[in-house]
Amino acid sequence: LKLIVERDIHNNEIFNLCDQVSLKYLVLNVKKYTGKNNRTFYLPYFIASILCLIGSLHPRFPLTFSRLKVLTNQASFKDSKIQKTLNFKKKKFFEETISDFMSEYLN
């Protein structure tokens, strides 16, 4: 984000930065750093897809098939655009990044 803001030439651009970790893995790491050990409720994919089907009848229903794909890591995002456009290279991967972020967030 700092690189994009400093260059100030990519207004209204969308860049993906991804390490392809599951949402479950992200939640478990956030819980670890916050010390929260409360239970997490997981909805089976089959039930979630039925909800998507029923929800598709209502245009404002928040769970869609495309969102379900993202939440279940069936969608993938490439970060080649930011690598080419801004010559960006990752210095850290998920484990170190989430550790740094949570330490800063909690302080």
Side-chain angles (χ1 to χ4, degrees):
L1 290 175
K2 184 179 175 185
L3 181 63
I4 293 168
V5 171
E6 285 174 350
R7 301 248 176 124
D8 194 33
I9 56 173
H10 299 287
N11 294 333
N12 301 318
E13 294 261 5
I14 296 173
F15 296 104
N16 291 319
L17 291 173
C18 47
D19 276 342
Q20 295 298 100
V21 297
S22 70
L23 185 59
K24 181 178 181 178
Y25 187 67
L26 172 64
V27 169
L28 289 173
N29 273 277
V30 169
K31 285 171 64 171
K32 178 175 84 173
Y33 287 103
T34 59
K36 306 232 183 223
N37 290 323
N38 53 340
R39 294 180 54 151
T40 305
F41 175 74
Y42 295 100
L43 193 62
Y45 183 84
F46 175 73
I47 294 172
S49 60
I50 290 172
L51 287 174
C52 286
L53 187 60
I54 294 167
S56 66
L57 302 172
H58 304 283
R60 296 179 62 184
F61 191 71
L63 186 60
T64 61
F65 283 107
S66 60
R67 287 181 180 159
L68 183 60
K69 278 184 165 184
V70 171
L71 291 170
T72 57
N73 274 21
Q74 293 180 8
S76 63
F77 303 94
K78 297 186 184 325
D79 53 11
S80 54
K81 179 180 176 182
I82 194 167
Q83 290 175 5
K84 284 194 280 184
T85 307
L86 298 176
N87 197 28
F88 176 81
K89 292 180 179 48
K90 291 180 200 167
K91 295 179 184 174
K92 301 177 188 178
F93 290 95
F94 178 78
E95 288 78 10
E96 189 177 356
T97 302
I98 195 70
S99 172
D100 291 349
F101 175 79
M102 292 306 297
S103 295
E104 188 173 322
Y105 176 76
L106 295 171
N107 291 329

